[in-house]
Structures are given as C-alpha cells and as structure tokens.
Amino acid sequence: MNNVQLLEMSKKQSKTGKWELILHNDASVSFDHVMSCLIEICGHNEYQANQCALLTHHNGKCSVFVDDYKTCKSVWDRLAENGLTVTPQKQKRNV
C-alpha cells in the first residue's frame, strides 16, 4: 500500500479521537537517521528513539507517536518527507 492509498483509507475513518503513527522497518533508511527523525520530529529522547528503532527493526513496526489526527498528519508528513515509512492508525479504545 502506498502513501496515497493510506491517506484515502484514513479519510474514510473518523478523524476524532486519538491516532497513532506506526513506523515500518525499511532497510533503505539507516538506524541513525531513524533515531534522528524520532528525536527531532516526534520529540523522543535518545533512549525512546533507540528503543523504537530497535522494536521496528526486530518486529517490523512500532507505534512512535500518538495525538489527534491533525497533529499526527503533520508529524506523518514530516517523517515521510525524511524517507521513513509510516502509516496512521486510529488508536483502539482500551476496554
């Protein structure tokens, strides 16, 4: 699925509530670049960025940012501009 398809899918879902950005493993992006983006764009500290990068590397994906849709969209755009593969997902309610 490409970013255009994902954007269309996200438009169909309600924009209310909390959303999260899922970072996907991508061999074309260096570990250091991923960490730098998470620190600069998502506001992670070095430890958080390292842990998210490791989880993404080993599990294929990791939730890296949670907020309202508008804020997530802005962060998603910046991460994508920096070459990271990220998808938005409406956060599931805790029951």
Side-chain angles (χ1 to χ4, degrees), residues 9-10 13 18-22 24 61 63 65-67 69 72 76 87-92:
M9 182 178 71
S10 68
Q13 298 178 3
K18 293 289 183 185
W19 283 73
E20 62 184 331
L21 297 178
I22 309 299
H24 298 272
K61 63 183 179 177
S63 176
F65 190 81
V66 176
D67 210 318
Y69 180 82
C72 281
W76 175 23
T87 55
Q89 160 177 314
K90 189 162 176 116
Q91 197 174 39
K92 296 176 177 80

Side-chain angles (χ1 to χ4, degrees), residues 75-88:
V75 171
W76 175 23
D77 289 343
R78 290 185 60 206
L79 291 170
E81 287 168 5
N82 280 276
L84 285 110
T85 305
V86 181
T87 55

Side-chain angles (χ1 to χ4, degrees), residues 11-12 39 58 61 66 93:
K11 284 181 182 177
K12 294 177 185 175
I39 291 167
H58 291 290
K61 63 183 179 177
V66 176
R93 286 182 100 172

Side-chain angles (χ1 to χ4, degrees), residues 20-36:
E20 62 184 331
L21 297 178
I22 309 299
L23 175 65
H24 298 272
N25 192 29
D26 184 348
S28 67
V29 181
S30 75
F31 196 85
D32 288 337
H33 181 67
V34 170
M35 283 187 57
S36 293

Side-chain angles (χ1 to χ4, degrees), residues 23 34-44 49 52-53 64 79:
L23 175 65
V34 170
M35 283 187 57
S36 293
C37 288
L38 294 177
I39 291 167
E40 293 173 25
I41 300 169
C42 297
H44 289 204
C52 286
V64 295
L79 291 170

